[in-house]
Amino acid sequence: MRWFFLILAIATVALVCALGPRGQKFSSPPFMLFPDMDNQYKVKAQKPSPFFENGQGARTPVEGTVPLGYTYPGESADSVARTSRDYSRGSDYLNTGLFGDFYGKGFPEEIKMDEAFLERGKQRYQITCTPCHGEAGNGAGIVSKYWAIPPTANLIDPRVKEMPEGQIFWTITHGKGLMGPYNGVTSVNDRWAITAYLRALQAAAGK
Amino acid sequence: MGNIFPRWTNLLAVKILVCLGALGTCVVAVAWYSFTPKFTRVGYMPQQPIPFDHSVHAGQLGMDCRYCHTHVENSPHSNIPAAQVCWNCHGPGKVKSDSPKLEPLRRAMDVNDPNYTGKPIEWVQLHKVPDYAHFNHSAHVNRGVSCVECHGRIDEMPVVYHAKPLSMSWCLECHRDPGKVLRPLNEITNLAWEADDLSPDEFYAYVAGKTGTSTDELKKADTGKEWDRELIGAHLQKAWGVHPPQDCAACHH
């Protein structure tokens, strides 16, 4: 009996030691004792699915089609190369920043300009634009120092100050030159809010 | 008739029971230590297709989590960024565009790359609750629970690893007493945030506005208490009326 306890104690300690302490780094998928129902056969956000031929759970529109409720906005009259040409929810001013082929001035009437809207714009600007354009909008964000082809645009420059609101909205949506499109990561309302906050930054810079 | 059972067998049953008991205890001890999520999940650090470094992007460059995980505030699922998001900085003429580490990104995005496939980058998922339990990021992030409570100091990790067990008992531990972890909503993605970063005057004014009491009353009630996370959290819990669910159907529906 004494031997039994001794061996049991040694075996337990040896097993725990062999498996190691908690919190070690390892790269094989975690061990699962009862994996029942853990991985159900359904499509989940951003996950692969063996059901579809290309293995992707999320479906993309069939080539040459436009999803219901979306349109391709027309090109703007200026010839600056845009980085992307994507769907938008409609071809009105709110969704495109364009009146016909021309950038619109002012904010769309659907937008309610108030303090909360500007606060939202400030928050979104600081999340999305600050890394490159800097907190003050002067183009001196931390990432701009690493860019192979400087400079990152100075957004409090008089040139940008005179840009119509629609053009700034369009630029965020489709990018311009070296700046990529940000329509995937900002909603339509947020893009207008960022534009409004940019106006506030420019006014504060007072040039 | 002689004794069929010799004298030593008198205690045999007891001895066997004691041994079985000891064996059972040891099995439970090993299972508790080495087969619970605190052991099996914490530390999971898989190899990713691109050695993406949070300590550079979120730490050194100071990027907000929501630059990439854009939908964490308004969706149950916190998205992994599309390749386009990386491409906006790592495209041609931008940052480190021809780094060998970014080969999978060019395969996904660069139409001029000879290996171009246009397929998404296959990041390996680390954190996962089983499909029979429902977790919602937006319900937590918009109620003052920071990423750091559930994912650890991501902004200091060169390679992301699983920092918390994500077991049911772990979920419930916080749901029973969320007051310790709540923080102001604009500090959710600031993983290094501490109580001292918050000005007491502004905070009391905010709480007074929310609860309809006066700043002086609140301050008086708090005299002698230390200005720390717990105090702030307790006020916020009351002001926002935070009551995390503990009934089974909240998470298993």
Side-chain angles (χ1 to χ4, degrees):
Chain A
M1 185 127 163
R2 214 176 303 139
W3 288 109
F4 174 81
F5 282 123
L6 196 63
I7 291 170
L8 186 65
I10 291 173
T12 306
V13 171
L15 187 59
V16 168
C17 289
L19 289 168
R22 282 178 174 173
Q24 301 170 93
K25 305 287 186 296
F26 59 97
S27 60
S28 51
F31 170 78
M32 282 197 285
L33 207 50
F34 303 112
D36 330 312
M37 309 283 283
D38 278 13
N39 294 294
Q40 297 166 16
Y41 195 72
K42 60 183 179 191
V43 177
K44 283 162 275 176
Q46 290 195 305
K47 299 297 175 290
S49 165
F51 182 78
F52 297 108
E53 198 182 354
N54 66 358
Q56 241 171 282
R59 312 312 299 152
T60 43
V62 176
E63 206 154 316
T65 64
V66 175
L68 216 59
Y70 288 76
T71 60
Y72 260 130
E75 276 295 334
S76 61
D78 75 357
S79 55
V80 182
R82 299 296 165 188
T83 324
S84 83
R85 184 154 178 271
D86 289 321
Y87 309 124
S88 72
R89 277 210 189 263
S91 38
D92 54 344
Y93 184 47
L94 175 71
N95 283 294
T96 61
L98 295 179
F99 284 119
D101 298 341
F102 296 94
Y103 298 123
K105 251 194 164 327
F107 288 87
E109 53 197 25
E110 291 90 340
I111 296 291
K112 238 186 35 240
M113 191 65 66
D114 53 16
E115 205 177 320
F117 188 69
L118 268 178
E119 264 312 304
R120 176 77 185 170
K122 177 179 180 184
Q123 188 201 31
R124 292 296 125 174
Y125 177 89
Q126 290 184 344
I127 292 170
T128 318
C129 319
T130 299
C132 296
H133 291 290
E135 199 146 335
N138 56 8
I142 181 163
V143 172
S144 70
K145 298 187 181 67
Y146 294 86
W147 276 49
I149 307 179
T152 304
N154 177 351
L155 299 183
I156 49 179
D157 198 63
R159 203 169 43 77
V160 183
K161 208 170 167 181
E162 277 152 29
M163 255 184 205
E165 281 78 8
Q167 185 173 2
I168 295 179
F169 176 88
W170 177 274
T171 305
I172 306 173
T173 311
H174 299 284
K176 174 190 178 187
L178 272 186
M179 174 171 144
Y182 283 84
N183 57 348
V185 296
T186 50
S187 69
V188 167
N189 272 329
D190 285 350
R191 272 173 257 155
W192 286 114
I194 290 171
T195 308
Y197 179 66
L198 203 53
R199 286 288 183 241
L201 277 183
Q202 290 164 345
K207 272 193 203 156
Chain B
M1 251 190 103
N3 273 342
I4 299 178
F5 297 105
R7 203 181 168 82
W8 61 268
T9 55
N10 284 356
L11 282 175
L12 190 63
V14 178
K15 279 182 181 171
I16 288 177
L17 278 182
V18 169
C19 286
L20 281 181
L23 188 68
T25 310
C26 287
V27 168
V28 169
V30 172
W32 168 76
Y33 190 81
S34 296
F35 291 91
T36 48
K38 280 186 184 147
F39 180 88
T40 58
R41 288 188 193 146
V42 175
Y44 178 38
M45 189 165 77
Q47 175 103 33
Q48 299 287 354
I50 299 177
F52 175 76
D53 188 338
H54 276 84
S55 72
V56 167
H57 291 85
Q60 194 182 320
L61 299 176
M63 289 165 72
D64 192 285
C65 312
R66 292 165 291 184
Y67 185 100
C68 292
H69 304 292
T70 41
H71 290 46
V72 68
E73 281 175 312
N74 43 27
S75 127
H77 172 71
S78 169
N79 60 309
I80 300 293
Q84 175 72 52
V85 173
C86 315
W87 194 240
N88 280 354
C89 279
H90 290 294
K94 300 179 189 175
V95 185
K96 299 233 177 195
S97 48
D98 34 41
S99 161
K101 292 181 188 165
L102 290 167
E103 178 56 33
L105 179 63
R106 286 191 293 276
R107 245 182 281 144
M109 291 302 296
D110 189 355
V111 282
N112 301 320
D113 191 279
N115 299 324
Y116 174 74
T117 61
K119 287 210 171 153
I121 303 167
E122 293 189 25
W123 301 104
V124 183
Q125 181 179 11
L126 293 77
H127 297 85
K128 183 172 186 320
V129 292
D131 289 348
Y132 55 75
H134 296 269
F135 177 76
N136 186 335
H137 271 96
S138 64
H140 291 88
V141 171
N142 293 322
R143 291 297 237 174
V145 185
S146 164
C147 321
V148 73
E149 313 297 345
C150 307
H151 296 300
R153 284 302 295 271
I154 297 275
D155 60 337
E156 290 176 347
M157 297 182 190
V159 184
V160 181
Y161 59 85
H162 209 306
K164 298 285 158 85
L166 301 198
S167 60
M168 179 164 140
S169 63
W170 173 82
C171 303
L172 286 173
E173 211 169 287
C174 175
H175 276 209
R176 292 195 184 107
D177 182 16
K180 288 195 206 109
V181 301
L182 301 184
R183 60 171 75 183
L185 290 179
N186 55 354
E187 303 288 357
I188 292 298
T189 53
N190 177 4
L191 306 191
W193 183 81
E194 283 172 25
D196 292 339
D197 299 343
L198 188 64
S199 129
D201 288 334
E202 272 173 41
F203 180 70
Y204 280 119
Y206 171 78
V207 174
K210 276 271 167 196
T211 52
T213 39
S214 77
T215 319
D216 295 331
E217 255 174 70
L218 287 169
K219 276 190 178 163
K220 210 157 112 204
D222 280 349
T223 39
K225 287 192 195 153
E226 208 177 325
W227 177 249
D228 60 6
R229 292 282 310 269
E230 254 172 77
L231 184 68
I232 295 171
H235 276 302
L236 289 178
Q237 188 181 355
K238 221 182 288 158
W240 294 339
V242 173
H243 298 291
Q246 291 176 38
D247 51 317
C248 318
C251 306
H252 305 290
H253 51 80

